[in-house]
Amino acid sequence: MIVKKSPEHFSPRKLGDSLFRVLKTRHFRPGPSLAMLSAFAVSTLVILGSANSGAGSAGYIRDFEAGRVAERDVVAEQSLSYVDEEATRLRMEAQARLVPAVFRFSLPATELIQNGWKDFSSFTENLIREGSSADASRLAIQVKYPAFFSGEDLNTYLTDPEGGHFGEYGATVLNNILVKGIFAIHHTELEPFNPDVAELLSTSGTRTEREQVSYDTVITRENVRNAITQCAAGAGVPAAFASIAANLLFPFISENVFFSPDDTRQRVAETSAQIEPVVKFVEKGKRIIRKGFIITEDDMKELRALNMSLHSGDPRRIIGQILLLILLYGLFIFLGERRMLGRSLSNAEIYLLSVLVSLYLIIAVFARNLSPGLESFPVSMVIPTALVVMLPGILISPRLALVLALALPLGAYLSGSFDAPAYIFALVSGVVASYVLRKAERRMDLVKAGLVIAGANCIAVVVILLTRGAGPAEYPSLLFWAGFNGLVSGMLVLGFLPPLEHVLNTATTFRLIELSDLNSPMLKRLFTAAPGTYSHSIMVANLAEAACQDIGANPLLARVGAYYHDIGKMENPGYFVENQTVYNRHDDTPPRLSATVIRSHVKLGVEKARSLSLPREVIDIIAEHHGNSVIAWFYNKALKQESQVNMEDFTYTGTPPRSRESAVVMLADVTEAAVRTLHKPTAAKMEKFIQTLIDAKVEHGQLAESELTFRDLETIKNAFVRVLAGYYHSRIEYPKLRESAVRETAAKEAGAKETAAKEGGHKEAPAHHAAPKAAAREGEHTEAPVVHAAPKTAVSKENAE
């Protein structure tokens, strides 16, 4: 009986459970996921905002330029209206010229004028009341107010029967003048405003009154005498006072109405806010651009308006933009997986990629918006595409550089930020950058790469200009900016790379070359403290580098990892056989303690590597070069001495290699140590022996996570045999000379050298002296098997598993 399962119905609870299971999986990383989501959101908002404003849309505009002949017609697909920005600006400027300049009364200046006249009239009236003679009073006034008044005016003031009331008459006339205002006019600051009228603000309590006055009727210092005379004539004052009023009041007159820039600006702003923009209309079916005719600026205005109306707010375009960005970021996520790059990206690397991708798209949008009217200038020339391509290529993977070189310009083009010339320029710059990056081995090579990129940029610009049919005048500036873009990109990579290397702690080619220097302090210390381990590391490095070259792995990383894989042995060098001479400390040490000392060199090595800030990949090689294998010799020895033995006490605490380079270093390590135990090693004997060692590692699961194939293992074995066969090659056995013959030959050689020194000659030693030298070289070689063969059992103690 077949039971059919009923279809499962969708429910929010099941969706929540599924999402929770995804979040719980070990592959989900909240930090990097949030970074990618934020980069996507920011890019989407900027691109959509630019598209809705019409500034970033290339639309029709990318194919047309003012002053060129149109290659096709453009017809308005719908009726539209648009604001003519230039006409609106001209209208606003004209209206601003009609705004009157604003003036304000100055109360302190008014009071100063009034107080001046009051003091003078009081002083004069006192003189009259005191009965002083006219001559004495005139002299007293001239002492206090020298050169203020003429003698005739003072005589009239002092001798007229109404002279005691002249002060009141003067105050009346003066107040009438001050109420109208005495304007301080400086024509230079009033030039941008209405040339005919001004606006006068007067404040009374909390009330402010505005009054427009003509410049022809305002009172100034230049015409105030006439104003005083007219005011006195109409004020009903005695004729005697009216005749001298202008001369008496003028010395106390000054401006009390001044230009107010702040009030004027506010008045202009209020007026501008009330101005209606100039709106123009385009009827449906109007031929905006005519094929074969020269495109004018007015045509471009209508074309931009048509482009904006077609694209801004269109939901289809918005959905398309969002889907495009989803595809673009999805492509980066897919290409960033382990299967594509050979390893998983770290959190810091994902953050770097998210920032670079979003910044590139955002800068492309802003560059397009900030270059209106520069359709002949590819906006990608101001964007260092090569920089964005080279940094991930150096810090993460060269494969990623080509992906970014293709995807980033395409994303900017499809989002409307790049037109065709800008896309071509960015594509050429990025692809060339990804290519020259592969050959860079020193930091100064980045400067050379910048020169190559600059040359490629110039070629791309020439091609673009030729296809456009551009004139000769356009070439120099564009070629300059193209070359400048490439040079600056190379220099910026050189500047940004060291801090990013430190932050990401990544194994770039440049950093690995620096770490491979055998004169580094750590390797010098290793040579001094554990010379046998140093020699072993050098040989392991040669083996690992040769094998990685043959299988297509990173040979430089393998060499550096091999140099540092045993730096933990510096703490207890005497417990490791390659550093022992005669006495073996393990003979008097319990096997469990011996295993503990042997195991500890991995942990100590990792700690030293972290203190040196070595790249993460090198630290992984140090931690994984023994995997979790068993130290078999000491384990078997413990089984003979104890009834119950825990295997974990004799097992390395690391994990099996997870990269090909780490696995190759593990195989090179065990091979180099084990081959030393062979007596008279030959190529056939070593090949069979190395195959046994590799099979043992495979059998114990030490290579299960390294992604090495059986073909890779065969290639690695052949590489090891090739290198070791060259190292352990056979020598011709020279006959030994008698001791007396050796002494005689040495004496002759010394005499020959002494004679040559006296003669100042530089002759070579005779041919018959070559035999002792060959014997000496053979003597060095014949000791090697003895040294290597003596600790045969001890070597197997450390490496047998």
Side-chain angles (χ1 to χ4, degrees):
M1 179 178 178
I2 300 175
V3 179
K4 294 185 178 180
K5 296 178 66 177
S6 60
E8 296 185 2
H9 297 286
F10 172 80
S11 68
R13 181 177 179 182
K14 291 181 179 179
L15 178 62
D17 293 341
S18 301
L19 181 62
F20 182 71
R21 285 194 297 271
V22 171
L23 295 177
K24 282 185 65 178
T25 179
R26 65 185 181 90
H27 298 291
F28 178 79
R29 292 180 285 178
S33 301
L34 181 60
M36 289 186 291
L37 184 61
S38 301
F40 170 76
V42 173
S43 303
T44 302
L45 290 175
V46 172
I47 291 176
L48 292 182
S50 174
N52 289 335
S53 67
S57 302
Y60 292 112
I61 301 176
R62 65 161 62 104
D63 299 327
F64 302 96
E65 182 181 354
R68 294 185 179 275
V69 177
E71 299 179 355
R72 60 186 176 89
D73 292 336
V74 175
V75 179
E77 302 174 10
Q78 61 187 24
S79 298
L80 60 99
S81 62
Y82 68 95
V83 175
D84 190 329
E85 301 291 344
E86 181 64 19
T88 302
R89 183 183 64 81
L90 293 175
R91 172 182 283 183
M92 295 180 68
E93 288 180 355
Q95 186 62 44
R97 286 278 295 158
L98 294 176
V99 174
V102 180
F103 288 79
R104 273 186 177 272
F105 278 100
S106 172
L107 183 59
T110 302
E111 292 177 349
L112 182 64
I113 297 170
Q114 291 173 338
N115 292 335
W117 172 255
K118 184 178 179 180
D119 292 342
F120 168 72
S121 61
S122 297
F123 178 74
T124 305
E125 290 174 0
N126 288 335
L127 292 176
I128 295 173
R129 279 196 300 268
E130 291 175 358
S132 300
S133 64
D135 292 338
S137 298
R138 185 177 62 254
L139 293 174
I141 292 172
Q142 288 178 346
V143 168
K144 187 170 184 179
Y145 298 97
F148 272 45
F149 314 103
S150 67
E152 294 179 0
D153 293 334
L154 289 178
N155 284 334
T156 302
Y157 192 154
L158 296 172
T159 60
D160 192 276
E162 295 290 331
H165 299 285
F166 277 16
E168 296 176 6
Y169 301 151
T172 301
V173 174
L174 186 61
N175 288 337
N176 291 335
I177 295 296
L178 293 177
V179 167
K180 293 180 180 180
I182 303 172
F183 285 69
I185 294 180
H186 303 285
H187 294 284
T188 54
E189 60 183 2
L190 301 179
E191 191 174 324
F193 308 106
N194 194 311
D196 297 331
V197 296
E199 188 172 273
L200 180 60
L201 296 183
S202 57
T203 304
S204 176
T206 58
R207 188 178 65 179
T208 300
E209 296 180 355
R210 296 176 181 267
E211 177 187 2
Q212 285 199 352
V213 294
S214 173
Y215 284 118
D216 294 336
T217 61
V218 298
I219 302 173
T220 64
R221 282 273 297 178
E222 286 74 16
N223 62 11
V224 70
R225 288 179 179 272
N226 295 332
I228 294 173
T229 301
Q230 293 174 4
C231 184
V237 298
F241 175 78
S243 65
I244 64 172
N247 294 334
L248 289 178
L249 294 176
F250 183 79
F252 303 99
I253 293 294
S254 62
E255 293 93 346
N256 69 329
V257 176
F258 300 94
F259 173 67
S260 175
D262 294 337
D263 292 321
T264 305
R265 280 194 294 268
Q266 183 178 353
R267 187 78 169 85
V268 171
E270 292 173 355
T271 304
S272 300
Q274 298 173 0
I275 296 175
E276 295 291 336
V278 178
V279 178
K280 293 187 177 181
F281 297 91
V282 178
E283 298 296 333
K284 181 178 180 181
K286 178 182 178 181
R287 197 177 303 276
I288 298 175
I289 302 294
R290 293 179 177 272
K291 181 179 180 181
F293 287 80
I294 296 177
I295 303 172
T296 65
E297 288 293 340
D298 290 337
D299 294 336
M300 290 302 299
K301 291 178 183 178
E302 293 184 351
L303 190 62
R304 292 189 183 97
L306 178 61
N307 181 60
M308 184 183 300
S309 67
L310 291 176
H311 297 297
S312 61
D314 188 350
R316 295 170 298 179
R317 181 176 177 80
I318 293 175
I319 294 174
Q321 294 273 13
I322 294 175
L323 291 178
L324 172 65
L325 289 173
I326 291 175
L327 290 175
L328 184 62
Y329 278 88
L331 175 65
F332 287 126
I333 294 173
F334 172 75
L335 295 173
E337 289 186 348
R338 184 183 181 90
R339 71 184 71 177
M340 299 299 297
L341 298 180
R343 63 178 180 84
S344 298
L345 294 178
S346 66
N347 291 356
E349 291 170 341
I350 293 177
Y351 298 149
L352 175 65
L353 272 179
S354 300
V355 170
L356 288 178
V357 172
S358 59
L359 275 181
Y360 187 87
L361 296 177
I362 292 171
I363 292 175
V365 170
F366 283 114
R368 186 65 178 176
N369 293 349
L370 293 176
S371 60
L374 298 178
E375 286 80 8
S376 63
F377 189 89
V379 295
S380 57
M381 291 178 66
V382 301
I383 303 174
T385 303
L387 169 68
V388 182
V389 168
M390 294 173 74
L391 283 178
I394 296 173
L395 295 168
I396 301 176
S397 171
R399 299 180 187 176
L400 195 58
L402 183 58
V403 172
L404 292 173
L406 297 175
L408 287 178
L410 181 61
Y413 176 74
L414 295 178
S415 64
S417 300
F418 285 175
D419 55 10
Y423 169 69
I424 293 173
F425 181 86
L427 182 67
V428 171
S429 183
V431 171
V432 172
S434 66
Y435 174 76
V436 298
L437 187 63
R438 300 174 183 271
K439 298 182 180 181
E441 295 182 353
R442 297 174 301 172
R443 296 189 187 274
M444 287 305 298
D445 290 341
L446 295 176
V447 178
K448 299 178 182 178
L451 293 173
V452 175
I453 296 169
N457 289 351
C458 292
I459 295 174
V461 166
V462 170
V463 172
I464 292 170
L465 293 177
L466 288 175
T467 56
R468 279 182 175 178
E474 296 186 34
Y475 281 79
S477 61
L478 292 182
L479 288 175
F480 169 78
W481 286 109
F484 183 76
N485 180 286
L487 291 174
V488 169
S489 296
M491 293 179 181
L492 287 177
V493 172
L494 191 61
F496 281 117
L497 192 57
L500 288 176
E501 282 178 327
H502 177 73
V503 172
L504 299 178
N505 196 25
T506 186
T508 64
T509 301
F510 313 113
R511 194 174 180 201
L512 290 175
I513 289 177
E514 293 167 358
L515 291 174
S516 65
D517 184 7
L518 295 178
N519 290 318
S520 65
M522 179 56 70
L523 294 180
K524 279 189 172 183
R525 183 182 168 196
L526 177 65
F527 175 75
T528 303
T533 300
Y534 176 85
S535 300
H536 161 72
S537 299
I538 298 297
M539 192 61 197
V540 170
N542 294 332
L543 292 172
E545 183 179 40
C548 284
Q549 285 178 340
D550 291 349
I551 66 174
N554 189 340
L556 187 56
L557 174 59
R559 170 171 285 277
V560 174
Y563 281 161
Y564 290 89
H565 80 285
D566 272 343
I567 57 175
K569 292 182 179 180
M570 287 191 295
E571 298 298 327
N572 300 294
Y575 282 91
F576 298 92
V577 65
E578 66 267 22
N579 301 311
Q580 296 172 358
T581 53
V582 178
Y583 174 65
N584 188 347
R585 297 186 180 184
H586 294 291
D587 293 340
D588 301 326
T589 306
R592 193 181 307 276
L593 181 58
S594 294
T596 300
V597 174
I598 295 296
R599 290 192 309 169
S600 67
H601 86 275
V602 175
K603 180 180 178 182
L604 293 173
V606 170
E607 292 175 354
K608 287 183 179 296
R610 287 174 178 165
S611 67
L612 293 171
S613 298
L614 294 183
R616 174 175 53 85
E617 294 84 351
V618 176
I619 296 177
D620 290 343
I621 291 176
I622 297 173
E624 297 168 357
H625 78 277
H626 281 299
N628 56 4
S629 57
V630 179
I631 308 176
W633 197 92
F634 292 112
Y635 177 67
N636 293 329
K637 182 178 178 181
L639 287 176
K640 296 177 182 179
Q641 298 178 0
E642 304 175 21
S643 58
Q644 293 184 349
V645 178
N646 186 0
M647 184 180 292
E648 292 184 359
D649 295 339
F650 298 87
T651 303
Y652 284 102
T653 57
T655 57
R658 291 168 293 180
S659 67
R660 296 198 294 172
E661 293 81 8
S662 183
V664 170
V665 172
M666 168 188 272
L667 296 176
D669 182 38
V670 67
T671 298
E672 198 281 333
V675 167
R676 288 177 181 268
T677 65
L678 294 178
H679 180 63
K680 292 185 179 181
T682 62
K685 187 184 294 186
M686 286 189 292
E687 181 177 3
K688 183 177 180 180
F689 187 51
I690 293 172
Q691 184 63 55
T692 303
L693 297 174
I694 294 176
D695 291 343
K697 292 294 183 184
V698 174
E699 182 180 352
H700 289 91
Q702 297 301 307
L703 306 178
E705 299 181 16
S706 64
E707 298 185 357
L708 289 177
T709 65
F710 286 111
R711 177 179 295 179
D712 291 337
L713 293 177
E714 183 69 20
T715 304
I716 292 169
K717 180 191 71 174
N718 295 334
F720 286 174
V721 172
R722 183 178 70 250
V723 174
L724 291 172
Y727 182 74
Y728 290 107
H729 65 279
S730 58
R731 291 276 190 172
I732 299 174
E733 196 169 324
Y734 290 90
K736 295 184 179 180
L737 297 176
R738 293 183 180 179
E739 185 177 353
S740 59
V742 171
R743 287 199 299 269
E744 181 181 354
T745 302
K748 290 181 179 180
E749 184 175 0
K753 289 181 178 179
E754 183 177 358
T755 303
K758 290 180 179 180
E759 295 177 355
H762 300 282
K763 299 178 181 180
E764 296 182 356
H768 65 271
H769 295 307
K773 295 180 182 178
R777 288 196 298 270
E778 182 62 25
E780 293 174 3
H781 173 75
T782 53
E783 289 181 2
V786 179
V787 174
H788 298 324
K792 175 179 178 182
T793 306
V795 170
S796 60
K797 292 178 184 179
E798 178 191 346
N799 294 284
E801 302 168 0

